[in-house]
Amino acid sequence: MESRSPEGCTREIKEEAARLGFDACGIAPAEPIDPENRLGAWLRQGCHADMAWLERAREVRQDVRLKLEGARSVVVVAKNYYQPNQRLAEGAGRIARYAWGRDYHKVLLNPLRRLARHIGTLAPDVQTYAEVDTGPVLERAWAARAGIGWIGKNGLVVRRGLGSWFVLGAIVTTLDAAPDAPARDYCGNCRACIEACPTGAILSPRTLDARRCIAYHTIENRGAIPSPIQDRMGTWIFGCDRCQEVCPWNREVTTAAEPDFRPRDGAVSPNLEELLRLDEPQFRQRFEGSAILRAKHAGLLRNAGIALRNLSKS
Ligand code: B12
Ligand code: SF4
Ligand code: SF4
């Protein structure tokens, strides 16, 4: 097998990522990612609410070489999911933009695995580990290290030209590819996201308290939502986009090229009373292939009930 230079590998990986429809691709050296133990501090403060799975494999999250022995590089890809604002129907709930189309895990996993296979051909005996979301990889920290974008004060990775309306995937590999420079921070003095958050969940720049975050409560919380949060949820019934809607870097962005991210019927502003009438099989049928299934039938109906009460008060 012809051997390529680290720079040649990087060029090949980026060309293939673009061919596979990714909007950005960056490469970081597979060194410990969290030497300051930000993850430990965040968990100690209880900011992860009841997402106990975030406590697992903590050492691996901070050092991906424990996931893949001999790892040399982390390839991070980003895929734009932006869709222009849609008219909100009366009596409807709000769904976060990333969930308007097909579930992004399903959209990303195939091309990501193809990219991993391609990386495997660039040198002899190359190992790869690819994941979207579910693996022990601090994707935002890696995206920043790989030059995809900077971690904004709202905690999301922001890239000039794309804003923050993109999802991430990562491939850990033993391939020695030339790394990109970490991204520069362009938040400056702006604090729009911190000020706009309805529940004060952004405690300080880049520190999010999931216990206060509407996205956490509407998607991950399987129990009761505390009443002060309920009162501030407005009509969000799955996720929340407030801290992204106000970001100046999200003002002029292009619509996603990916057809799978086009809004599905009934997934942008579903009627709340109609949702409350769905039984479990109807819920599963209506949201098949959508990230909304993550909230589960009981969770979505709980959220719809709260939104309906908030609507009647407004
Ligand atoms: C758990 C989780 C959540 C939880 C908790 C959020 C949180 N802050 O962790 C909840 C349910 C609340 C959530 C909400 C959302 N999420 Co979420 N979530 C995740 C998940 C699965 C794990 C995140 C994690 O490990 N958290 C632990 C904390 C401690 O880690 P962290 O956020 O990465 O923070 C570290 C770095 O920021 C670091 N850090 C801070 N500054 C700097 C600077 C440098 C240079 C470095 C190196 C590190 C660093 O310190 C922290 C500790 O290490 C990731 C996927 C993944 N595997 O990474 C998606 C992910 C972060 N989520 C995503 C999205 C889209 C969302 C929502 C926008 C969805 C929505 N519309 O409702 C909201 C946004 C809320 C917000 N403002 O962050 C995307 C973000 C894409 C992007 N452009 O950044 C991800 C990457 C999923 C994906 N594959 O695309 N999420
Ligand atoms: S997702 Fe909503 S509740 Fe969570 S930090 Fe952003 S604005 Fe606040
Ligand atoms: S709203 Fe302002 S502070 Fe928040 S991420 Fe965007 S630029 Fe940074």
Side-chain angles (χ1 to χ4, degrees):
M1 185 187 276
E2 172 206 343
S3 78
R4 290 173 179 78
S5 65
E7 289 73 21
C9 289
T10 292
R11 213 169 29 247
E12 278 263 355
I13 294 170
K14 290 190 174 182
E15 281 169 10
E16 185 64 10
R19 268 196 293 273
L20 288 165
F22 292 111
D23 296 280
C25 173
I27 291 161
E31 290 160 358
I33 189 69
D34 188 19
E36 293 167 1
N37 195 17
R38 291 171 197 252
L39 174 61
W42 190 74
L43 292 170
R44 252 191 326 276
Q45 286 178 62
C47 288
H48 57 310
D50 71 355
M51 294 180 288
W53 47 272
L54 280 166
E55 293 165 28
R56 288 199 286 272
R58 194 165 118 190
E59 294 76 16
V60 186
R61 284 177 208 277
Q62 293 174 318
D63 187 352
V64 288
R65 293 171 304 185
L66 300 173
K67 180 72 198 170
L68 183 70
E69 206 186 314
R72 299 291 302 272
S73 315
V74 179
V75 178
V76 185
V77 291
K79 196 159 171 72
N80 176 10
Y81 63 80
Y82 180 75
Q83 301 292 327
N85 289 337
Q86 309 278 314
R87 203 183 61 82
L88 289 177
E90 213 158 293
R94 293 198 70 188
I95 305 273
R97 203 176 300 254
Y98 82 89
W100 288 359
R102 186 168 146 83
D103 185 342
Y104 69 93
H105 301 91
K106 295 185 196 295
V107 178
L108 259 69
L109 220 49
N110 249 332
L112 193 72
R113 287 188 178 138
R114 284 172 67 185
L115 183 61
R117 278 200 295 277
H118 186 76
I119 292 172
T121 66
L122 297 178
D125 305 321
V126 171
Q127 307 292 309
T128 56
Y129 166 74
E131 68 90 59
V132 179
D133 230 37
T134 46
V137 179
L138 290 170
E139 290 172 3
R140 296 192 258 208
W142 282 110
R145 179 60 193 83
I148 296 270
W150 72 98
I151 300 178
K153 291 179 189 170
N154 57 9
L156 289 152
V157 181
V158 192
R159 179 180 175 89
R160 289 196 295 173
L162 268 187
S164 60
W165 305 113
F166 56 82
V167 278
L168 296 167
I171 301 170
V172 183
T173 175
T174 54
L175 184 76
D176 190 10
D180 288 287
R184 227 188 101 186
D185 186 326
Y186 288 96
C187 279
N189 295 329
C190 176
R191 290 175 56 85
C193 51
I194 299 177
E195 282 155 16
C197 174
T199 51
I202 308 169
L203 302 182
S204 58
R206 297 169 195 88
T207 303
L208 178 111
D209 188 344
R211 289 167 297 192
R212 296 193 192 185
C213 177
I214 294 168
Y216 162 74
H217 285 290
T218 53
I219 303 172
E220 301 290 337
N221 182 354
R222 303 280 170 255
I225 300 180
S227 12
I229 304 289
Q230 291 195 20
D231 293 345
R232 291 171 177 271
M233 268 168 54
T235 53
W236 288 110
I237 56 168
F238 185 85
C240 167
D241 281 337
R242 197 65 202 128
C243 56
Q244 297 192 85
E245 286 169 345
V246 297
C247 179
W249 293 101
N250 278 338
R251 258 177 226 154
E252 277 170 41
V253 288
T254 42
T255 301
E258 173 60 59
D260 272 350
F261 285 141
R262 286 196 199 123
R264 290 176 156 199
D265 279 349
V268 177
S269 61
N271 182 275
L272 293 166
E273 285 178 357
E274 205 181 294
L275 283 184
L276 285 169
R277 285 194 294 270
L278 293 181
D279 63 20
E280 183 144 22
Q282 288 167 331
F283 162 80
R284 266 189 271 113
Q285 192 187 14
R286 172 152 177 187
F287 296 112
E288 210 222 313
S290 152
I292 296 171
L293 287 180
R294 173 89 185 159
K296 309 249 187 291
H297 175 246
L300 195 71
L301 265 60
R302 171 202 60 194
N303 303 343
I306 297 168
L308 206 55
R309 273 200 302 283
N310 287 343
L311 255 187
S312 68
K313 282 190 246 161
S314 65

